[in-house]
Amino acid sequence: LGSPVQTLSGGGPISFTAQANPSPYPRTGTIMIGDQSFTVVQGVAGSTAVPSFSAAGVVDPWTYSTGITAGEWVTIFGSGLATRTAQWNPKPQSLLATDLGGSTVFFDGLPSALVYASPGQISALVPVAVQAGAVTITVRSGGLVSTPAMAQAGATHPVVFATLKAASNPPISYITAVDPVTGELLGASEVDAGVTRGARPGETIDLYTLGLGATQTPLITDQLFLSAFPVSAMPSVQLGPTAITPVFAGLISPGLYVIPQLSGYKSNRIS
């Protein structure tokens, strides 16, 4: 913690002090007693709030459903989750940051890539090594660690890009598709300001999704890439009354999948 190394001998209680941490990041030191090593973490000066969140606050970032899968972006809502607000700034082929805004998120003890961090919200990418079943999630911020929360992981947890309609009860989300030729956003303009128009029956659309699971090559969750990786198991899509089997579905950036060139449906209702 910035103090010089001291070696003592004999018995009795041990105490130590450290100067205030001038850095915006936590720092660590080690105390050796015999053959035992003890790591001490000093938080950021002025940060006293222990990170706090519940299992219900771990949701997908688009429709706010619970449940996770490896390689999926999730949003965690709570308090004291970070010491400051920060967003990622990744570079192609570089490792993604697992410490952002003075915060780190762990899934079964594995640090996750972060895209956004603030005291009330964190967006994290579930690491590839997370297995199906009950998963323990913790947040460390300013050297303080949250009480663990549990989430249920599956082999997949598909979520299509959508916007939640404000004040809808029960909650209603409207899917936004993309015109593959013009790049226009297609959907409900009353809930998504970026939408140009509604989807027309019979036209070709692209859908963007999360949580489609494993890819044919090892799933990547720790670096930015510029390739497309086909999924291991092709999803099925229901467009209104029409069931469609896509010709392709793949991972195109960390956590983001695309199902392109969907056509042949009879309704403008996408579900």
Side-chain angles (χ1 to χ4, degrees):
L1 298 177
S3 300
V5 175
Q6 298 185 33
T7 302
L8 304 174
S9 62
I14 294 176
S15 63
F16 75 97
T17 60
Q19 295 179 344
N21 182 4
S23 167
Y25 303 96
R27 59 180 182 173
T28 61
T30 302
I31 298 175
M32 298 291 298
I33 302 177
D35 60 354
Q36 298 184 68
S37 174
F38 300 89
T39 299
V40 180
V41 180
Q42 185 184 31
V44 176
S47 175
T48 59
V50 176
S52 177
F53 67 100
S54 68
V58 182
V59 295
D60 82 76
W62 292 343
T63 65
Y64 305 112
S65 64
T66 56
I68 65 173
T69 190
E72 179 184 18
W73 286 109
V74 299
T75 296
I76 301 173
F77 292 102
S79 61
L81 299 178
T83 59
R84 62 191 185 282
T85 298
Q87 293 182 325
W88 73 346
N89 184 27
K91 297 179 180 179
Q93 310 306 320
S94 65
L95 293 179
L96 301 177
T98 57
D99 185 300
L100 198 63
S103 179
T104 303
V105 179
F106 299 89
F107 293 81
D108 279 347
L110 302 168
S112 64
L114 303 178
V115 66
Y116 175 82
S118 71
Q121 177 183 335
I122 294 180
S123 295
L125 186 62
V126 182
V128 63
V130 167
Q131 301 294 310
V135 176
T136 300
I137 305 172
T138 55
V139 175
R140 185 180 68 203
S141 176
L144 304 174
V145 181
S146 69
T147 299
M150 303 298 294
Q152 194 67 28
T156 63
H157 180 232
V159 179
V160 180
F161 178 51
T163 302
L164 183 67
K165 183 178 180 180
S168 57
N169 188 18
I172 300 174
S173 293
Y174 288 84
I175 289 173
T176 298
V178 177
D179 184 319
V181 177
T182 66
E184 291 179 295
L185 298 183
L186 313 176
S189 58
E190 63 268 27
V191 297
D192 186 341
V195 163
T196 302
R197 59 176 176 82
R200 301 181 182 120
E203 75 176 324
T204 299
I205 60 172
D206 294 347
L207 292 180
Y208 288 85
T209 75
L210 307 174
L212 294 187
T215 50
Q216 293 179 16
T217 55
L219 187 63
I220 300 172
T221 59
D222 62 354
Q223 68 178 20
L224 192 64
F225 52 83
L226 301 176
S227 302
F229 301 95
V231 296
S232 296
M234 189 66 67
S236 60
V237 179
Q238 188 80 23
L239 298 177
T242 308
I244 297 176
T245 300
V247 295
F248 176 84
L251 183 71
I252 57 172
S253 79
L256 181 65
Y257 298 78
V258 66
I259 307 175
Q261 301 293 317
L262 294 171
S263 62
Y265 56 99
K266 307 299 182 183
S267 167
N268 63 358
R269 181 178 177 84
I270 304 172
S271 61

